[in-house]
Amino acid sequence: KNEVEQSPQNLTAQEGEFITINCSYSVGISALHWLQQHPGGGIVSLFMLSSGKKKHGRLIATINIQEKHSSLHITASHPRDSAVYICAARYNTDKLIFGTGTRLQVFP
Amino acid sequence: GAGVSQTPSNKVTEKGKYVELRCDPISGHTALYWYRQSLGQGPEFLIYFQGTGAADDSGLPNDRFFAVRPEGSVSTLKIQRTERGDSAVYLCASSPKGLAGGGGNEQFFGPGTRLTVL
């Protein structure tokens, strides 16, 4: 059983909509990463967080340690946000355990 | 500055052959990670190097897989007697310090090598 679960698996939105992607993990972690993967495979790190909330431009990531849950929000979504968004949990050994990803498509 | 690079970008081989995949991390990064991503799945951890030594190789699926990092920079992932199930994108990432240096660092990913075993 994967220790990191994401939902939804697929998400479509109209340009301008507010988007939320959820991630839950099964045991205690040291940090939670959000990554973006574009067609062709390139992965970019968006956030690394262990508590609270981080914001970068239109992207916001939150984590609730007690609930073992994190969310990635995109405000005023744009077609260029279309990508696969992956959450990954960092455990004590420093390796990342990845979720299966959420495929987001934003239409104009 | 240069990011993480991987060569080749694509590799097609026949079942039973030996392949080597190369990763050049960002200069000065002491931690290096190999992951494998099958179609429609998230990446899965294979092995992590801190300097020249493998700090965690628990993700290597079997003894056909081996990785080295002899000088603490470039790493090579070696797969013997390839099988069709080995077909995937092999991703490499590096980070400045890794756990031994305090951990918690962002990982920078390469573009991956797409391996196809016929």
Side-chain angles (χ1 to χ4, degrees):
Chain A
K1 181 180 181 301
N2 198 348
E3 297 169 6
V4 178
E5 301 286 345
Q6 278 187 244
S7 63
Q9 286 189 327
N10 293 281
L11 184 57
T12 58
Q14 289 295 123
E15 183 173 357
E17 286 185 7
F18 180 83
I19 287 162
T20 297
I21 300 170
N22 296 300
C23 177
S24 60
Y25 47 92
S26 57
V27 294
I29 61 171
S30 58
L32 193 288
H33 295 246
W34 282 101
L35 308 158
Q36 180 190 55
Q37 186 170 31
H38 283 283
I43 292 179
V44 173
S45 179
L46 298 175
F47 296 103
M48 181 179 68
L49 65 165
S50 54
S51 65
K53 174 172 139 177
K54 288 190 175 180
K55 184 175 189 293
H56 182 69
R58 295 180 294 105
L59 302 178
I60 303 167
T62 64
I63 188 168
N64 184 318
I65 299 297
Q66 286 73 30
E67 297 291 326
K68 298 184 179 63
H69 180 269
S70 177
S71 292
L72 176 69
H73 304 286
I74 305 175
T75 62
S77 59
H78 190 275
R80 65 174 174 265
D81 297 327
S82 299
V84 175
Y85 292 84
I86 305 172
C87 71
R90 178 193 296 274
Y91 293 87
N92 291 335
T93 60
D94 205 37
K95 66 185 183 185
L96 295 179
I97 304 297
F98 293 80
T100 54
T102 295
R103 183 174 301 277
L104 171 66
Q105 288 184 296
V106 182
F107 294 99
Chain B
V4 178
S5 63
Q6 291 186 246
T7 55
S9 55
N10 281 283
K11 176 71 177 177
V12 180
T13 191
E14 293 179 343
K15 181 175 178 293
K17 299 289 189 183
Y18 168 83
V19 296
E20 290 190 351
L21 312 179
R22 177 186 168 109
C23 173
D24 280 84
I26 293 172
S27 178
H29 281 195
T30 60
L32 185 146
Y33 310 81
W34 282 100
Y35 300 95
R36 177 170 71 172
Q37 186 174 25
S38 300
L39 192 63
Q41 301 294 315
E44 58 176 341
F45 170 79
L46 295 176
I47 186 170
Y48 150 54
F49 287 90
Q50 183 65 41
T52 60
D56 185 345
D57 64 357
S58 61
L60 294 177
N62 52 59
D63 61 6
R64 294 187 298 106
F65 289 74
F66 189 70
V68 296
R69 196 185 183 201
E71 297 178 358
S73 177
V74 171
S75 176
T76 305
L77 177 66
K78 308 180 181 192
I79 310 174
Q80 298 178 320
R81 304 183 304 280
T82 52
E83 299 177 357
R84 292 194 180 87
D86 299 335
S87 297
V89 175
Y90 289 81
L91 294 163
C92 175
S94 69
S95 73
K97 292 186 291 185
L99 189 63
N105 285 289
E106 178 183 359
Q107 294 185 17
F108 297 83
F109 286 80
T113 293
R114 182 175 299 278
L115 175 66
T116 303
V117 182
L118 301 177

